[in-house]
Amino acid sequence: MSKIDREEAELLDLFDKGQLKSVASKSELARFKAAARATSIKDRRVNIRLSSGDLSDIQTKALEEGIPYQTLIASVLHKYVSGRLTERAVPGTAANRKNPTI
């Protein structure tokens, strides 16, 4: 079992006392739940190679979203294959070129 630092111990104590409140909005909670459902059934393993820069960017985005980077990758792939990944024009590119976004 790993040791926890002072800040973690304080957070656990506040949680146990019921003094922590969620700061996530209802739409954020719904998005997190959808991501969890989309990636909860994991019955296959896939190995992929990514550039260091792409992996770093993915890890940064996942940190901003508060989810593991593997979950973010699985969620993006799921949204892409299910047709739920939207597209938007990227400023400064040709009008007919678009980049997928979440």
Side-chain angles (χ1 to χ4, degrees):
M1 186 171 193
S2 64
K3 293 182 180 182
I4 60 173
D5 63 27
R6 193 182 86 218
E7 182 182 9
E8 292 169 327
E10 289 172 7
L11 288 172
L12 284 172
D13 185 50
L14 290 172
F15 177 80
D16 289 340
K17 292 177 180 176
Q19 295 178 343
L20 295 180
K21 302 288 183 220
S22 175
V23 295
S25 67
K26 287 186 179 186
S27 64
E28 287 175 319
L29 290 174
R31 193 177 73 213
F32 296 150
K33 287 178 184 179
R37 275 193 301 277
T39 59
S40 64
I41 301 173
K42 298 174 184 174
D43 60 349
R44 300 292 302 261
R45 178 180 294 268
V46 175
N47 294 316
I48 60 173
R49 293 189 181 273
L50 300 172
S51 71
S52 296
D54 285 346
L55 180 57
S56 179
D57 290 346
I58 290 167
Q59 289 172 324
T60 299
K61 288 285 188 188
L63 187 60
E64 290 170 2
E65 295 294 323
I67 59 175
Y69 75 92
Q70 299 96 329
T71 301
L72 177 63
I73 293 169
S75 177
V76 169
L77 290 172
H78 175 76
K79 288 176 182 180
Y80 178 76
V81 299
S82 65
R84 294 188 304 136
L85 197 63
T86 61
E87 294 185 12
R88 68 175 180 204
V90 176
T93 61
N96 63 348
R97 295 178 67 194
K98 295 182 179 184
N99 285 343
T101 60
I102 298 175

